[in-house]
Amino acid sequence: GVMPGQGVISGFAGSFPAQSPTSESQKSWFVSVYKPEFNVNAYASLDLDMREIESLAVTGNKQDLLTAWDVYSGADGDSGGSGFTLQDLAAVGDLDGSETLKLYKDFYGTAEYSDKWLRAALNGESTESFSNGKADFTKLDLKGRSAAVQHGIRAMAIWGHIVGLVEKTAERCDGTRGNSVEQKMWDRAVALYVGSTARESGAGGHLLYTLANEECYHFGRCKKGEEAPVNKYIMAKFANGKLNICSNIKNDARDIKSLMTVPLIQAASRAMYTIDKEGSTDGALQGEAAAYAAALLPLIHQCGAGNSKIIEADMLPGKSVSGSYEVVKAAFERCYEKLNVSCEDVGGLVDFSKKQYKRGAQACGGVMPGQGVIEGFAGSFPAQSPTPESQKSQPYQPAAPTSGKAQSSS
């Protein structure tokens, strides 16, 4: 309510419309849970760009795809005044120190794997220059390429940047320097994971937090509109890491990456089931399958080249229409231990009308849906293949935040 200095402006009108940019209704939900030390609006508001891209991608129209690319690259001139774009997330050169991003760089043969993959999808070209996981987008129609761009931004560029931020934060925290840079990176990771429009109720949102809530329901891990268990654990790990910046956050960074892998596996599996078992010929589903496959390939390759070859042969552009859901599901499950996820984290695809798992899509390890998620769930279904004891683990349980010295935000 400060007025201009006395006598500066004669007759200055003291009344003006009330400003509301920081009203409670406009604040991102996650700030009430996580409370970032730094302004991360430029990162959180990228979900508004994702919302626009989603609305454009579903049309299967060439001009809309080009417009979606302009939103991604910032060529539309609208980045909320921050000048920061989704395409900036694909530039991970400043995140050296992330083991995961090095893994992806080594697998694809380039640090710009996300942007090159997305650009090939946009133009209907091939990623022939890649060392592995080459994708030929001439095999997808316009709807498929549009879906590949939409889901690829979230699954590759955004997912990779978040993991890069938390891993670099942990790598930098050697106890010999201040914590302001590390805290800023950690805060940005949270903002990129949740976004500005997501709510704990499950409403709103267009980033990975929302994807996890959506897939959680389909896989019997939560009720529709509930927060996914993996999201509860991820937010707990983010909070614990904030409390202990530059103290002991390597385990938090590791667990966040593992838990963030769960919705990628679920989305990939659900797309493949719909294509293979339900006979869908929708090009958009093929593009979606290709995007989540590309996001997972380096991780799956790490647990065995044979497994990644299966994903390439059954899920990349032009492959999913003749791919096998069972083979893909088995390849994923063989990697659960290496990925540090469990059968209970992932769950199984539910047929809600029959109150049982879809045929052949049951959770491994004999896991049933979460308690109270589906009343009257039928527990009988075809016998499953033997599951290693390591995959029968209980779901990840976050440790209570440990005490740590409060850190300055300066």
Side-chain angles (χ1 to χ4, degrees):
V2 173
M3 295 291 103
Q6 185 175 2
V8 172
I9 305 175
S10 298
F12 184 82
S15 59
F16 42 83
Q19 296 179 319
S20 58
T22 57
S23 67
E24 288 303 314
S25 62
Q26 292 181 331
K27 286 184 179 179
S28 301
W29 160 76
F30 76 88
V31 303
S32 65
V33 178
Y34 173 79
K35 302 186 187 309
E37 299 293 335
F38 292 87
N39 186 331
V40 291
N41 289 343
Y43 287 77
S45 63
L46 286 175
D47 65 348
L48 301 178
D49 285 348
M50 275 307 305
R51 179 175 65 187
E52 187 172 358
I53 289 170
E54 287 171 5
S55 68
L56 291 164
V58 297
T59 69
N61 176 279
K62 183 175 182 180
Q63 184 55 53
D64 285 345
L65 175 56
L66 293 172
T67 302
W69 185 266
D70 286 345
V71 176
Y72 162 75
S73 66
D76 63 339
D78 181 15
S79 56
S82 68
F84 193 73
T85 70
L86 287 164
Q87 191 173 36
D88 292 330
L89 302 181
V92 294
D94 61 342
L95 293 176
D96 289 342
S98 165
E99 293 182 1
T100 300
L101 291 184
K102 183 180 185 305
L103 173 70
Y104 278 63
K105 176 183 176 181
D106 291 345
F107 180 83
Y108 285 113
T110 174
E112 300 173 351
Y113 64 91
S114 290
D115 193 62
K116 289 183 175 180
W117 193 93
L118 293 166
R119 193 176 296 274
L122 168 73
N123 296 323
E125 299 171 345
S126 171
T127 59
E128 190 59 36
S129 63
F130 280 10
S131 301
N132 299 283
K134 297 177 181 180
D136 182 3
F137 288 100
T138 66
K139 305 296 185 182
L140 292 183
D141 61 16
L142 194 56
K143 285 182 65 178
R145 288 162 44 210
S146 298
V149 169
Q150 172 195 339
H151 292 277
I153 291 171
R154 186 164 59 177
M156 298 180 73
I158 297 176
W159 188 94
H161 201 90
I162 295 170
V163 172
L165 283 170
V166 297
E167 288 185 345
K168 183 168 184 177
T169 302
E171 186 269 337
R172 281 179 57 97
C173 281
D174 58 7
T176 64
R177 54 170 69 91
N179 71 348
S180 62
V181 173
E182 290 79 11
Q183 181 65 67
K184 186 178 293 185
M185 289 192 294
W186 199 259
D187 286 354
R188 288 173 175 174
V190 180
L192 272 178
Y193 184 71
V194 183
S196 67
T197 61
R199 298 293 179 264
E200 186 177 14
S201 65
H206 304 273
L207 302 181
L208 289 158
Y209 176 90
T210 300
L211 177 69
N213 284 341
E214 291 171 350
E215 297 302 336
C216 169
Y217 166 70
H218 291 291
F219 282 78
R221 306 315 304 151
C222 64
K223 293 180 180 179
K224 194 167 190 176
E226 285 186 342
E227 186 179 33
V230 293
N231 275 338
K232 294 179 188 291
Y233 305 151
I234 287 170
M235 295 305 291
K237 298 302 286 188
F238 273 133
N240 196 64
K242 180 177 183 290
L243 184 64
N244 294 292
I245 281 291
C246 286
S247 176
N248 181 28
I249 64 170
K250 289 192 174 182
N251 288 344
D252 294 322
R254 179 202 64 204
D255 291 340
I256 288 168
K257 170 194 167 181
S258 297
L259 291 162
M260 281 177 56
T261 306
V262 171
L264 301 187
I265 294 170
Q266 292 170 328
S269 299
R270 187 157 66 92
M272 273 305 300
Y273 190 91
T274 308
I275 293 169
D276 179 29
K277 295 302 178 185
E278 297 179 350
S280 174
T281 57
D282 185 4
L285 271 174
Q286 296 173 41
E288 185 175 342
Y292 290 111
L296 288 164
L297 268 175
L299 300 176
I300 302 300
H301 183 77
Q302 195 177 33
C303 87
N307 293 314
S308 63
K309 290 299 181 184
I310 286 171
I311 304 305
E312 287 188 31
D314 285 53
M315 294 192 69
L316 290 188
K319 306 290 188 181
S320 56
V321 287
S322 58
S324 166
Y325 165 76
E326 290 95 345
V327 170
V328 166
K329 180 177 185 285
F332 284 152
E333 289 175 358
R334 284 194 293 270
C335 294
Y336 281 5
E337 183 175 8
K338 182 71 175 179
L339 295 172
N340 194 32
V341 302
S342 72
C343 297
E344 196 160 353
D345 290 329
V346 177
L349 273 171
V350 173
D351 183 330
F352 291 95
S353 64
K354 296 181 179 179
K355 294 188 176 183
Q356 64 183 32
Y357 286 128
K358 292 186 177 183
R359 182 175 295 276
Q362 61 272 5
C364 59
V367 169
M368 293 289 103
Q371 186 174 2
V373 170
I374 304 173
E375 298 297 335
F377 187 83
S380 59
F381 39 78
Q384 303 170 64
S385 56
T387 305
E389 287 300 318
S390 62
Q391 292 184 8
K392 297 180 181 179
S393 60
Q394 293 298 310
Y396 167 78
Q397 294 291 338
T402 54
S403 60
K405 184 178 179 181
Q407 301 291 341
S408 169
S409 62
S410 60

